[in-house]
Amino acid sequence: MIINSINAYEEAQKVIPGGVDSPVRAFKGVGGTPIFIDKGEGAYLFDIDGNKYVDFVQSWGPLIFGHADKDIEEAVIQTAKKGLSFGAPTLLETKLASLIVDMFDGIDKVRFVSSGTEAVMSAIRLARGVTNRNDIVKFIGCYHGHSDSLLVSAGSGLATFGTPSSPGVPADLTKHTLLCEYNNIENLRRCFSDSNDIACVIIEPIAGNMGLVPASIEFLTEIRRLCDENGALLIFDEVMSGFRASIKGACGVVDIKPDIITFGKVIGAGMPVGAFAASKEIMSHLSPEGPVYQAGTLSGNPVAMAAGIASLEKLQANPSIYETLGKKAKYLVGGLKTEAQKAGIPLQTDTRGSMFGFFFCEYMPTNFAEVGKCDFARFAKFHQEMLKEGYYFACSQYEAGFICDAITYEDIDGCIEAARRVFSKL
Ligand SMILES: *Cc1c(COP(=O)(O)O)cnc(C)c1O
């Protein structure tokens, strides 16, 4: 029974467009009513009808320790008691920046913002400011937030100038966004021969916004080479994969060094935090050290910083957590795959650290177009039925799933059992 959620959704739609503050939450990809959350505890969500779910979304990635982790909660409460925001420096910003610099390789300085969108938008401005160039290369299916020049799509896999994928985005802005197919080296070479004004290439090195689709090592190596050869900067968007795919994010999984890294999600542990980071040379272009302007009233917010510090300190103190999380993720998708096979349903699965993905299709997709060929109707049914069984998966096949530290093998076994029942109905 989700009668309270159904009513709440109706009320919400009267005062909020579509009833939600971020479109995917509306369950359009799977149908049905989004459940309204009352509270979270560790691996579990409780909705306003009192139903309990094992949560594989974890706020779309930030909560690596699960909901309401005691240490993070305590850090937030103690910091909040001292005032919520000052618009002036605090020691907490230096502390979180130092943690990120220490834990990742090849970055000297960090600037905090309040979302992943803002982090990427600012990183691109910085790349353009540093190189004095205008064009950016973006890969189809990668999501970098909703800023104007990144909201572009293309109907084909050919290198082409981007057309806006939303009304309200002027084509004059997106004409500087060159689109390229993910994992397609030829396509990327074509971009570089089409334009000699490329400021940067931005990529999710482990894409998590078209489902989980990692970039191949050869592809990333070629991107790095082409950037170097053409004087363009390479931005790894690690808003999702940072401190998720490994303790060094994607950078710890693939041995390729980007010039700028963007962060979000885990570094805020559930509070609104984003960041971008690079060498001191690159970061010196940023205002007030340099001329590239970037600012924020609530940037480096103390309560948000405290949450991030508590989370990263726990990770730093216990790096083996990534092995444990990775094993749980593999155990989950392994179990799902076995049950799907038994039911004669083709299911492709993959994991990177605590990120996992699964697709209802015959072959593992390597780009957005291939993801588009998966069986979305079957996914929708799977999602609906698993929800009834008490398992909360991302409500779109274009989203990755997340394992949190609080989840137990019992929870996962229960999920695999439930999936067996559900697969038999698909
Ligand atoms: C979530 C995400 C963003 C956007 O972050 P918001 O905090 O939602 O603005 C950008 N890039 C990637 C890779 C993401 O996963």
Side-chain angles (χ1 to χ4, degrees):
M1 283 279 284
I2 56 160
I3 189 75
N4 290 339
S5 281
I6 291 170
N7 291 336
Y9 190 39
E10 253 168 45
E11 287 304 309
Q13 288 178 77
K14 291 179 191 161
V15 286
I16 298 170
V20 293
D21 283 309
S22 199
V24 71
R25 296 180 197 168
F27 274 31
K28 293 283 184 225
V30 290
T33 304
I35 58 166
F36 277 58
I37 309 302
D38 175 34
K39 62 174 180 178
E41 268 174 29
Y44 312 121
L45 278 181
F46 296 85
D47 71 12
I48 57 173
D49 289 278
N51 300 306
K52 178 183 174 186
Y53 306 87
V54 176
D55 182 12
F56 293 108
V57 180
Q58 295 294 333
S59 188
W60 305 97
L63 311 177
I64 199 160
F65 292 101
H67 298 279
D69 174 83
K70 285 294 162 233
D71 300 311
I72 297 168
E73 182 183 288
E74 191 55 25
V76 165
I77 291 169
Q78 292 314 322
T79 310
K81 284 182 175 172
K82 295 166 79 175
L84 295 182
S85 176
F86 311 110
T90 64
L91 297 173
L92 298 169
E93 294 156 74
T94 312
K95 192 163 178 185
L96 185 55
S98 304
L99 274 168
I100 295 172
V101 167
D102 286 350
M103 289 168 84
F104 262 67
D105 297 328
I107 53 179
D108 302 317
K109 291 187 181 182
V110 182
R111 168 68 55 89
F112 290 109
V113 292
S114 301
S115 70
T117 296
E118 230 188 310
V120 176
M121 186 182 82
S122 310
I124 287 192
R125 183 179 304 149
L126 178 60
R128 284 172 163 157
V130 169
T131 57
N132 263 313
R133 295 177 179 179
N134 293 308
D135 292 347
I136 62 176
V137 176
K138 175 198 179 284
F139 297 97
I140 298 161
C142 285
Y143 179 67
H144 303 294
H146 65 93
S147 69
D148 284 347
S149 47
L150 291 162
L151 269 193
V152 290
S153 67
S156 75
L158 295 177
T160 167
F161 291 100
T163 50
S165 61
S166 165
V169 178
D172 275 350
L173 287 177
T174 57
K175 75 178 184 199
H176 290 295
T177 306
L178 280 66
L179 286 165
C180 208
E181 193 171 69
Y182 200 69
N183 279 322
N184 184 334
I185 290 173
E186 275 315 307
N187 221 203
L188 180 65
R189 291 202 183 114
R190 177 108 153 253
C191 275
F192 274 97
S193 58
D194 279 358
S195 166
N196 51 18
D197 197 28
I198 296 176
C200 63
V201 174
I202 180 159
I203 186 167
E204 285 182 82
I206 299 172
N209 288 290
M210 50 175 147
L212 181 66
V213 181
S216 73
I217 301 293
E218 304 75 60
F219 187 56
L220 291 172
T221 307
E222 187 62 7
I223 298 177
R224 179 69 273 179
R225 200 189 64 72
L226 283 165
C227 283
D228 290 343
E229 197 176 277
N230 293 278
L233 299 181
L234 173 55
I235 304 177
F236 272 9
D237 183 353
E238 294 234 47
V239 169
M240 185 187 292
S241 56
F243 301 101
R244 261 287 169 195
S246 80
I247 197 158
K248 294 180 199 289
C251 288
V253 179
V254 297
D255 191 21
I256 289 152
K257 301 275 165 286
D259 300 297
I260 304 178
I261 307 177
T262 57
F263 297 97
K265 299 190 170 117
V266 170
I267 66 159
M271 296 294 283
V273 183
F276 55 108
S279 67
K280 53 180 177 299
E281 290 76 22
I282 290 178
M283 293 303 269
S284 71
H285 291 256
L286 209 57
S287 186
E289 254 184 271
V292 179
Y293 193 71
Q294 190 281 322
T297 302
L298 296 177
S299 291
N301 175 270
V303 183
M305 294 292 107
I309 292 165
S311 187
L312 292 200
E313 278 183 339
K314 275 165 76 99
L315 294 172
Q316 196 179 37
N318 182 19
S320 66
I321 188 178
Y322 285 93
E323 212 182 300
T324 315
L325 289 167
K327 274 188 190 148
K328 286 177 180 173
K330 284 202 170 81
Y331 184 77
L332 170 68
V333 297
L336 293 179
K337 185 161 182 136
T338 306
E339 293 307 328
Q341 267 164 353
K342 283 190 210 158
I345 294 171
L347 189 75
Q348 305 306 320
T349 65
D350 204 356
T351 65
R352 286 294 180 280
S354 56
M355 297 165 68
F356 69 84
F358 57 91
F359 297 103
F360 288 97
C361 57
E362 300 279 350
Y363 302 100
M364 196 66 195
T366 61
N367 62 41
F368 188 68
E370 288 173 11
V371 174
K373 289 180 195 146
C374 294
D375 191 337
F376 283 75
R378 187 172 259 169
F379 175 84
K381 189 94 174 58
F382 173 81
H383 184 273
Q384 288 160 10
E385 293 296 322
M386 289 303 284
L387 199 62
K388 284 185 213 153
E389 294 269 359
Y391 297 90
Y392 190 78
F393 282 97
C395 51
S396 161
Q397 202 162 205
Y398 288 117
E399 304 289 346
F402 301 98
I403 293 289
C404 73
D405 187 46
I407 201 168
T408 64
Y409 278 99
E410 248 182 329
D411 294 327
I412 301 174
D413 280 330
C415 177
I416 296 167
E417 279 287 310
R420 174 189 321 184
R421 290 189 288 276
V422 169
F423 286 142
S424 72
K425 297 185 216 168
L426 301 183

